[in-house]
Amino acid sequence: MAEIENRHTAAKCKKRFFKKKDTRIDLTPMVDLGFLLITFFVFTTTMATPHVMHVNIPYNKVPPGDDVCASCVLTAFLVKENGIKYYEGLPGPGTIIKSTSFGDAGIRSIILQKRQSVKMVRGNADEFVLIIKPTEESTFQ
């Protein structure tokens, strides 16, 4: 609420002065209204709602029938301490498992070399197949 106070300053002087009026504005109702608005908007807004992602699960009623050449496959295992072990071709008794790391000189160069060799052998680099198998000790990178 606003209040107006009257002050008589020159009561005994002969000159005529204007009466000075002081105004004091009370902002308590405005603060209450502000808090009411803030609480209203806090309670009525919703935070980001979680969205459910659709997971594509393979249809396992039919046995797999993809014809993939053995020389087109590169299988990589993600192991502990950000390491990668890989082998080329299909697994068998004579399979050689090699180690590498993440980065340009590591797995990236191996993938590019394998794509080039598949392109040389098959004539098309799109037939290259990369299989990634994380182990329980692997970390997310």
Side-chain angles (χ1 to χ4, degrees), residues 38-54:
I38 289 171
T39 55
F40 172 76
F41 285 116
V42 166
F43 289 140
T44 57
T45 57
T46 58
M47 300 308 261
T49 56
H51 298 286
V52 178
M53 292 180 59
H54 180 70

Side-chain angles (χ1 to χ4, degrees), residues 80-98:
K80 62 183 174 181
E81 298 177 4
N82 294 330
I84 298 175
K85 295 194 179 210
Y86 69 96
Y87 63 87
E88 297 182 25
L90 298 176
T95 304
I96 299 171
I97 298 177
K98 303 173 188 172

Side-chain angles (χ1 to χ4, degrees), residues 54-71:
H54 180 70
V55 178
N56 292 326
I57 300 172
Y59 184 71
N60 61 359
K61 306 263 188 226
V62 178
D66 294 336
D67 295 329
V68 178
C69 67
S71 63

